[in-house]
Amino acid sequence: MDVPNEAPENRELYALLNLSPEASDEEIRRAYRQWAQAYHPDKYQSPHMKDIATENFQRICEAYEILSDPSKRQIYDIYGMEGVNSGLELGATLNRAEEIKAELERLKKMKEREKMAAHFRSSGTILANMSLPHCLDGDGLFRGMAMTSEIQSDLSKHDAITIGGNLAVDGNEGGGAATAVFRHQISEVSSVELVASAGLRALLGVQASRTLSSHSAATMGLALSLQDGSLNLSNLWTHQLSETASGHIQVDLGTQSSIAVGWQKKDERRSASGEVKIGTGSFETSVHYTHRFSPKSLCSIGGRVGSSSLEIEVGGGRKISKFSSVRWLYIIGIQGIVWKFELHRGGQKLIIPILLTQHLNPVFASGALVVPASMYFLLKKFIIKPYYLRRNKQKALEKDDKISSQVKEARAAAEKAQKLQENVANRKRNRQLETGGLVIMRALYGNERVLCNLNSTTETSLESTSEVMDVTIPLNFLVNDSGQLKLHEGVKKSGIMGFCDPCPGDPKQLYIEYAYAGNEYKISVGDYEELIIPQAPNRI
């Protein structure tokens, strides 16, 4: 959760009581008594008006309950209603703004952990190998299938367990294994894992990890095979080379000893990685580069050279929804030409490699790359892009409809509040007229651009626009007994009782025409600016 900016956002309750954010406890009590009396349901006989009064009276009471409590008020000033509703409580050791922010962050993280602990997190992969040459020879399209799945759950703040399994079928052979991993967080910088596996690779193991410094970490593991009794030792060291790059060295000692040195570099648009691995009688070098054109699309290229492999991989991918993405890869190497399709959905993956041919024919190899790539660009231009344009347009219309509905509801609530204010506002207006005091003749609140064109816009069309609302009644209602109107700095005016935000997201302004001492004046102020009238504005 980001700490709110210093811009005054959490000020609606102050606007509701027409108070300054620096108001004293006595000023809060005085404002509450004044507005509670004005909006009390017992003042109205009509059932309709009594319901309106009850609704607004409850808003006044809620604002007073929060602002009159020093702890709740301090929390509200920092994090608004989200902080108040979070259950945060202050004490003798929690009274500074920094402490409140830290405690709210702690509570938020604790709730997130509790939410995560209450649900299992699952992931899995399905791999379906297909072969076109075998299919043409009458041996069937599928050559093998593999499935892996695991479920992880947090047992406590420091403990977690993962249970997984895998099944594999290749021709007439198959097998599987089940694995359980228990992880314990010893401290902020170290952890230990216990591993047990049964099946084709039955083993018992332990693994310890520790953060050595702000840039380095190390992991050491020991595994005992239950099939042949062999021991395998693994060591991994990682080091942060820069803000976007890291490197690692891995050493495995046992029946298949090897050493690997690799690096990774990643930023917002690009990522690259490489590794050199040398084992007993074998070696392999691999590199991979990915470029992200946009948040939804990417392309990649990679290669692998080793004692038993030589291949180049080219492909691309696209995000098709919030949780789903697809990828297509073209692989050419000494084992043949392969298409690989991948579907990622949350933590689940479906991978389908299709062997097209085992012979490296240049014409076939070129066609296998160019044809699907061309088909993709044609689909993207004539089907995919138009579809997303229509969908985005539909989403924009739905968003506009939602905002319009919210504005309509807010206007209805403001109009209800103005009905309660109307009698008092008229009495104050008449009293000020008799004494030559302050009378609000016309007041408009809304889109700054529309109100700035006031002189070139007719009165009827201006007040009928959906981006501006008439607030003459609320402002006459707020004129005090001394004949003065004051709106406080740093308080958004849409929160004032009888106001609403007629154009969410757009800059707003308040325009007022008023009479005082026989003269007529006009004034405009910004949404968060202070207003004190009468003063010496431009005379009409």
Side-chain angles (χ1 to χ4, degrees), residues 3 76 78 349 398 409 455 506:
V3 175
Y76 174 77
I78 298 172
K349 298 179 183 178
E398 291 175 357
E409 291 178 3
N455 295 330
D506 293 330

Side-chain angles (χ1 to χ4, degrees), residues 438-459:
L438 175 63
V439 176
I440 307 299
M441 301 170 58
R442 182 188 187 207
L444 301 173
Y445 173 72
N447 190 293
E448 183 179 40
R449 174 183 53 80
V450 176
L451 290 175
C452 284
N453 296 330
L454 179 63
N455 295 330
S456 60
T457 309
T458 64
E459 181 174 329

Side-chain angles (χ1 to χ4, degrees), residues 54-72:
T54 300
E55 180 182 338
N56 287 278
F57 181 73
Q58 289 174 348
R59 294 175 61 195
I60 296 295
C61 291
E62 181 185 23
Y64 176 70
E65 179 186 356
I66 294 172
L67 298 183
S68 62
D69 185 312
S71 298
K72 290 182 179 180

